[in-house]
Amino acid sequence: MVSSAHEAMHHIFRDEPGLFARVLPKAGIPFPEPTAVQLLDTDLTEIRPLARRVDTLFRVDTAENGGFLLAVEAQGKPDPDKPNSWTYYLAHLYAKYQLPPILLVVCRDKATASWAAEPVRVGLPVHTSMAVFPLVLGPGNVPAITDPDEATEDLALAVFSALAHAKDQGLPVILDALAAAVANTGGETAQRWAEFTEVGLGDTPARALWRQLMATYTPRFPGYGTLIEETLIKGEAEGRAKGEAKGRAEGRAEDILRVLDRRGIEVSEAVRERVTSCTDLEVLGNWLDRSLVASKAEELFESE
């Protein structure tokens, strides 16, 4: 089961889509400035029953380099199966969207970050057929924000800095600066980032320290802590689930039409409209099964 701390490491980019473009240069990784960022469906499952899901996926448009895809993966520890999944993700995304895919792995400890940065090479010792070079953000290259004024200027970046350094000995100084920045900012936005930080720190001594720091500012945030599970985990999880369900429905509809096209089955505008407007995943699943054997597109709907 995915932990709250794991979710926070990549979910912060969903809450603040432009964050990656601000933190990568600070980590010494040159990156084009985006002009638009669009959250995409994270379900990369093929027609075959093989489930694969990236943590967070964006389409990013830039003025100079055109569009590209950014897949964000939160990694808590080395996993020998992950390089295979990452290779699949990038190949599948490139084939599906015809856009250059970039893999960004976010880590909370230096050992995992070092492991994740290793290139993935597919092929023979004498010839590499495919290579994956992940971008990695972790405590080794994400700057520790210890100045309250700097933290106030970009709360999202300051929160990510705290999460990236959650296992470092210098974390108390980072949290102290972040707590001061939250107090300086005030309002619902500051409270939301304060609660996000608590969830992102996970079940660690750092969470207890954060609660102690925030206790000083409780008068500024009535009810602080009471909305953590309800608002951040439950509320946003429900909203994310609805958004992902819509994305999966659109992806499944696209698969149905692609199967019919590959099989040379003519699709009328009425059929296309009915498929693309459907949001019921169970119904779309039935239509997908029928698309594999139907002799004409209208047979998708025969039993309905």
Side-chain angles (χ1 to χ4, degrees):
M1 178 179 295
V2 176
S3 68
S4 297
H6 175 98
E7 285 290 323
M9 281 298 285
H10 70 88
H11 196 279
I12 190 171
F13 294 96
R14 299 191 187 194
D15 281 21
E16 189 75 13
L19 176 61
F20 72 89
R22 303 199 299 272
V23 70
L24 284 168
K26 289 182 178 295
I29 303 173
F31 219 70
E33 183 176 351
T35 56
V37 181
Q38 177 187 1
L39 183 65
L40 300 179
D41 181 29
T42 59
D43 192 344
L44 307 184
T45 305
E46 296 183 73
I47 295 173
R48 294 174 295 169
L50 178 63
R52 295 185 187 273
R53 187 182 302 277
V54 68
D55 283 339
T56 292
L57 179 63
F58 296 104
R59 172 182 174 139
V60 182
D61 294 315
T62 67
E64 297 181 358
N65 301 87
F68 65 92
L69 301 176
L70 181 69
V72 183
E73 281 277 285
Q75 195 65 31
K77 62 181 180 180
D79 181 348
D81 293 329
K82 272 298 182 178
N84 293 334
S85 296
W86 292 342
T87 303
Y88 170 88
Y89 293 162
L90 297 184
H92 179 84
L93 288 170
Y94 185 69
K96 181 174 182 178
Y97 292 99
Q98 296 296 297
L99 288 171
I102 303 293
L103 174 64
L104 174 62
V105 184
V106 290
C107 308
R108 298 160 67 92
D109 65 86
K110 293 180 181 179
T112 301
S114 177
W115 166 84
E118 288 294 321
V120 182
R121 302 183 187 276
V122 179
L124 297 174
V126 296
H127 177 74
T128 299
S129 299
M130 185 187 308
V132 175
F133 298 90
L135 294 178
V136 178
L137 289 175
N141 59 358
V142 174
I145 298 180
T146 58
D147 180 5
D149 291 336
E150 182 181 357
T152 302
E153 290 177 2
D154 194 334
L155 269 182
L157 180 60
V159 171
F160 184 72
S161 173
L163 299 185
H165 291 272
K167 297 183 179 181
D168 285 6
Q169 292 183 348
L171 180 63
V173 181
I174 299 173
L175 292 182
D176 187 64
L178 178 56
V182 166
N184 291 338
T185 303
E188 293 183 1
T189 298
Q191 179 173 340
R192 180 163 134 331
W193 282 122
E195 294 176 344
F196 193 105
T197 301
E198 180 166 333
V199 173
L201 291 173
D203 188 16
T204 64
R207 173 183 282 182
L209 173 60
W210 178 248
R211 285 176 173 171
Q212 291 174 10
L213 289 169
M214 290 308 301
T216 307
Y217 308 109
T218 299
R220 297 198 182 196
F221 302 110
Y224 171 76
T226 61
L227 300 178
I228 291 177
E229 297 299 328
E230 295 178 14
T231 303
L232 182 60
I233 297 178
K234 181 181 178 182
E236 291 191 9
E238 289 177 355
R240 184 172 69 250
K242 290 179 181 178
E244 290 181 353
K246 182 177 182 294
R248 288 197 297 272
E250 292 173 351
R252 192 161 295 178
E254 181 182 324
D255 288 338
I256 293 169
L257 297 175
R258 184 185 299 131
V259 169
L260 293 174
D261 178 66
R262 295 288 176 86
R263 295 184 60 231
I265 305 295
E266 184 177 351
V267 179
S268 68
E269 191 60 35
V271 170
R272 184 179 301 276
E273 173 64 24
R274 184 169 178 181
V275 171
T276 56
S277 63
C278 181
T279 58
D280 189 316
L281 288 173
E282 183 176 354
V283 170
L284 287 167
N286 292 334
W287 292 351
L288 180 58
D289 292 339
R290 293 174 197 157
S291 71
L292 299 170
V293 296
S295 58
K296 57 182 181 179
E298 288 72 17
E299 290 180 7
L300 296 176
F301 322 121
E302 277 189 348
S303 64
E304 299 161 15

